[in-house]
mmCIF file of all heavy atoms in Angstrom:
data_model
loop_
_atom_site.group_PDB
_atom_site.id
_atom_site.type_symbol
_atom_site.label_atom_id
_atom_site.label_comp_id
_atom_site.label_asym_id
_atom_site.label_seq_id
_atom_site.Cartn_x
_atom_site.Cartn_y
_atom_site.Cartn_z
ATOM 1 N N THR B 6 6.038 54.827 153.409
ATOM 2 C CA THR B 6 7.036 54.443 154.407
ATOM 3 C C THR B 6 6.707 53.040 154.943
ATOM 4 O O THR B 6 7.600 52.212 155.118
ATOM 5 C CB THR B 6 7.071 55.464 155.558
ATOM 6 O OG1 THR B 6 7.209 56.769 155.009
ATOM 7 C CG2 THR B 6 8.237 55.199 156.494
ATOM 8 N N GLU B 43 -4.015 52.555 158.604
ATOM 9 C CA GLU B 43 -3.345 52.675 157.311
ATOM 10 C C GLU B 43 -3.138 51.296 156.687
ATOM 11 O O GLU B 43 -3.289 51.125 155.478
ATOM 12 C CB GLU B 43 -2.016 53.408 157.459
ATOM 13 C CG GLU B 43 -1.363 53.800 156.146
ATOM 14 C CD GLU B 43 -2.219 54.707 155.274
ATOM 15 O OE1 GLU B 43 -2.774 55.686 155.798
ATOM 16 O OE2 GLU B 43 -2.341 54.421 154.060
ATOM 17 N N THR B 54 -1.196 42.175 151.623
ATOM 18 C CA THR B 54 -2.112 41.077 151.942
ATOM 19 C C THR B 54 -1.856 40.697 153.386
ATOM 20 O O THR B 54 -0.771 40.927 153.916
ATOM 21 C CB THR B 54 -1.833 39.852 151.055
ATOM 22 O OG1 THR B 54 -0.453 39.494 151.206
ATOM 23 C CG2 THR B 54 -2.126 40.157 149.598
ATOM 24 N N SER B 55 -2.869 40.125 154.033
ATOM 25 C CA SER B 55 -2.677 39.769 155.431
ATOM 26 C C SER B 55 -3.147 38.352 155.724
ATOM 27 O O SER B 55 -4.024 37.822 155.043
ATOM 28 C CB SER B 55 -3.432 40.741 156.336
ATOM 29 O OG SER B 55 -4.806 40.446 156.327
ATOM 30 N N ILE B 59 -2.474 32.493 164.389
ATOM 31 C CA ILE B 59 -3.004 32.091 165.699
ATOM 32 C C ILE B 59 -1.853 31.766 166.634
ATOM 33 O O ILE B 59 -0.935 31.029 166.276
ATOM 34 C CB ILE B 59 -3.962 30.880 165.568
ATOM 35 C CG1 ILE B 59 -5.291 31.378 164.977
ATOM 36 C CG2 ILE B 59 -4.233 30.239 166.928
ATOM 37 C CD1 ILE B 59 -5.614 30.831 163.630
ATOM 38 N N ILE B 71 3.866 42.866 151.718
ATOM 39 C CA ILE B 71 3.717 43.757 150.569
ATOM 40 C C ILE B 71 3.412 42.897 149.345
ATOM 41 O O ILE B 71 4.009 41.845 149.146
ATOM 42 C CB ILE B 71 4.974 44.633 150.371
ATOM 43 C CG1 ILE B 71 4.773 45.639 149.233
ATOM 44 C CG2 ILE B 71 6.231 43.787 150.157
ATOM 45 C CD1 ILE B 71 5.833 46.731 149.190
ATOM 46 N N SER B 72 2.447 43.333 148.531
ATOM 47 C CA SER B 72 2.053 42.569 147.339
ATOM 48 C C SER B 72 2.773 43.131 146.119
ATOM 49 O O SER B 72 3.461 44.148 146.196
ATOM 50 C CB SER B 72 0.554 42.689 147.123
ATOM 51 O OG SER B 72 0.219 44.027 146.815
ATOM 52 N N ARG B 76 4.429 46.818 145.573
ATOM 53 C CA ARG B 76 5.770 47.127 145.079
ATOM 54 C C ARG B 76 5.710 48.121 143.920
ATOM 55 O O ARG B 76 6.510 49.044 143.833
ATOM 56 C CB ARG B 76 6.462 45.857 144.561
ATOM 57 C CG ARG B 76 7.322 45.178 145.585
ATOM 58 C CD ARG B 76 7.707 43.771 145.137
ATOM 59 N NE ARG B 76 8.017 42.964 146.316
ATOM 60 C CZ ARG B 76 9.211 42.972 146.918
ATOM 61 N NH1 ARG B 76 10.199 43.712 146.445
ATOM 62 N NH2 ARG B 76 9.410 42.228 147.984
ATOM 63 N N SER B 87 11.014 64.581 145.572
ATOM 64 C CA SER B 87 10.719 64.843 146.976
ATOM 65 C C SER B 87 10.686 66.337 147.229
ATOM 66 O O SER B 87 11.371 67.097 146.576
ATOM 67 C CB SER B 87 11.814 64.260 147.866
ATOM 68 O OG SER B 87 11.951 62.884 147.650
ATOM 69 N N ALA B 102 14.288 83.007 171.163
ATOM 70 C CA ALA B 102 13.759 84.027 172.067
ATOM 71 C C ALA B 102 14.428 83.955 173.434
ATOM 72 O O ALA B 102 14.039 84.649 174.366
ATOM 73 C CB ALA B 102 12.259 83.841 172.220
ATOM 74 N N ARG B 117 20.035 69.035 179.031
ATOM 75 C CA ARG B 117 19.046 67.967 178.888
ATOM 76 C C ARG B 117 18.906 67.556 177.415
ATOM 77 O O ARG B 117 18.899 66.367 177.086
ATOM 78 C CB ARG B 117 17.679 68.444 179.398
ATOM 79 C CG ARG B 117 17.113 67.645 180.551
ATOM 80 C CD ARG B 117 15.623 67.897 180.716
ATOM 81 N NE ARG B 117 14.831 67.376 179.624
ATOM 82 C CZ ARG B 117 14.106 68.075 178.769
ATOM 83 N NH1 ARG B 117 14.073 69.396 178.861
ATOM 84 N NH2 ARG B 117 13.420 67.490 177.822
ATOM 85 N N ALA B 135 25.766 46.914 164.129
ATOM 86 C CA ALA B 135 25.028 45.674 163.874
ATOM 87 C C ALA B 135 24.911 45.424 162.371
ATOM 88 O O ALA B 135 25.010 44.286 161.909
ATOM 89 C CB ALA B 135 23.643 45.746 164.509
ATOM 90 N N GLN B 138 28.541 44.470 161.026
ATOM 91 C CA GLN B 138 29.035 43.177 161.529
ATOM 92 C C GLN B 138 30.545 43.050 161.404
ATOM 93 O O GLN B 138 31.057 42.032 160.918
ATOM 94 C CB GLN B 138 28.394 42.019 160.766
ATOM 95 C CG GLN B 138 26.911 41.867 161.071
ATOM 96 C CD GLN B 138 26.299 40.757 160.241
ATOM 97 O OE1 GLN B 138 26.118 40.895 159.033
ATOM 98 N NE2 GLN B 138 26.023 39.633 160.883
ATOM 99 N N PRO B 141 34.572 46.568 157.291
ATOM 100 C CA PRO B 141 34.804 48.003 157.097
ATOM 101 C C PRO B 141 33.725 48.596 156.186
ATOM 102 O O PRO B 141 33.191 47.903 155.326
ATOM 103 C CB PRO B 141 36.182 48.059 156.450
ATOM 104 C CG PRO B 141 36.474 46.693 155.949
ATOM 105 C CD PRO B 141 35.614 45.730 156.681
ATOM 106 N N ARG B 151 21.542 45.654 149.567
ATOM 107 C CA ARG B 151 20.770 46.877 149.842
ATOM 108 C C ARG B 151 21.580 47.810 150.723
ATOM 109 O O ARG B 151 21.941 47.455 151.842
ATOM 110 C CB ARG B 151 19.483 46.530 150.592
ATOM 111 C CG ARG B 151 18.397 45.958 149.731
ATOM 112 C CD ARG B 151 17.114 45.851 150.548
ATOM 113 N NE ARG B 151 16.592 47.151 150.909
ATOM 114 C CZ ARG B 151 15.728 47.358 151.909
ATOM 115 N NH1 ARG B 151 15.329 46.353 152.658
ATOM 116 N NH2 ARG B 151 15.294 48.572 152.158
ATOM 117 N N PRO B 154 19.285 51.321 153.833
ATOM 118 C CA PRO B 154 19.225 51.434 155.289
ATOM 119 C C PRO B 154 20.512 51.983 155.905
ATOM 120 O O PRO B 154 20.450 52.797 156.823
ATOM 121 C CB PRO B 154 18.973 49.981 155.724
ATOM 122 C CG PRO B 154 18.224 49.384 154.579
ATOM 123 C CD PRO B 154 18.835 50.004 153.360
ATOM 124 N N GLY B 161 21.272 59.987 159.977
ATOM 125 C CA GLY B 161 20.818 60.177 161.356
ATOM 126 C C GLY B 161 21.972 60.373 162.320
ATOM 127 O O GLY B 161 21.908 61.203 163.226
ATOM 128 N N ILE B 162 23.038 59.620 162.114
ATOM 129 C CA ILE B 162 24.222 59.740 162.966
ATOM 130 C C ILE B 162 24.819 61.141 162.837
ATOM 131 O O ILE B 162 25.135 61.791 163.826
ATOM 132 C CB ILE B 162 25.253 58.640 162.614
ATOM 133 C CG1 ILE B 162 24.733 57.278 163.091
ATOM 134 C CG2 ILE B 162 26.621 58.954 163.222
ATOM 135 C CD1 ILE B 162 25.571 56.078 162.674
ATOM 136 N N GLU B 165 22.579 63.696 164.692
ATOM 137 C CA GLU B 165 22.711 63.696 166.151
ATOM 138 C C GLU B 165 24.054 64.275 166.582
ATOM 139 O O GLU B 165 24.128 65.005 167.565
ATOM 140 C CB GLU B 165 22.504 62.288 166.713
ATOM 141 C CG GLU B 165 21.101 61.717 166.485
ATOM 142 C CD GLU B 165 19.982 62.641 166.945
ATOM 143 O OE1 GLU B 165 20.208 63.481 167.842
ATOM 144 O OE2 GLU B 165 18.870 62.548 166.400
ATOM 145 N N GLU B 176 26.254 76.248 174.740
ATOM 146 C CA GLU B 176 26.577 76.260 176.167
ATOM 147 C C GLU B 176 27.835 77.090 176.413
ATOM 148 O O GLU B 176 27.881 77.907 177.328
ATOM 149 C CB GLU B 176 26.787 74.834 176.681
ATOM 150 C CG GLU B 176 25.488 74.040 176.835
ATOM 151 C CD GLU B 176 25.742 72.588 177.205
ATOM 152 O OE1 GLU B 176 26.213 72.321 178.326
ATOM 153 O OE2 GLU B 176 25.493 71.703 176.352
ATOM 154 N N VAL B 178 29.171 79.468 174.452
ATOM 155 C CA VAL B 178 28.911 80.890 174.169
ATOM 156 C C VAL B 178 28.192 81.544 175.338
ATOM 157 O O VAL B 178 28.572 82.622 175.798
ATOM 158 C CB VAL B 178 28.072 81.053 172.876
ATOM 159 C CG1 VAL B 178 27.533 82.476 172.746
ATOM 160 C CG2 VAL B 178 28.890 80.675 171.652
#
Side-chain angles (χ1 to χ4, degrees):
Chain B
T6 308
E43 190 59 47
T54 55
S55 77
I59 285 115
I71 184 167
S72 66
R76 266 166 204 277
S87 302
R117 240 197 68 244
Q138 291 177 288
R151 283 188 67 200
I162 289 173
E165 296 308 335
E176 286 174 68
V178 167

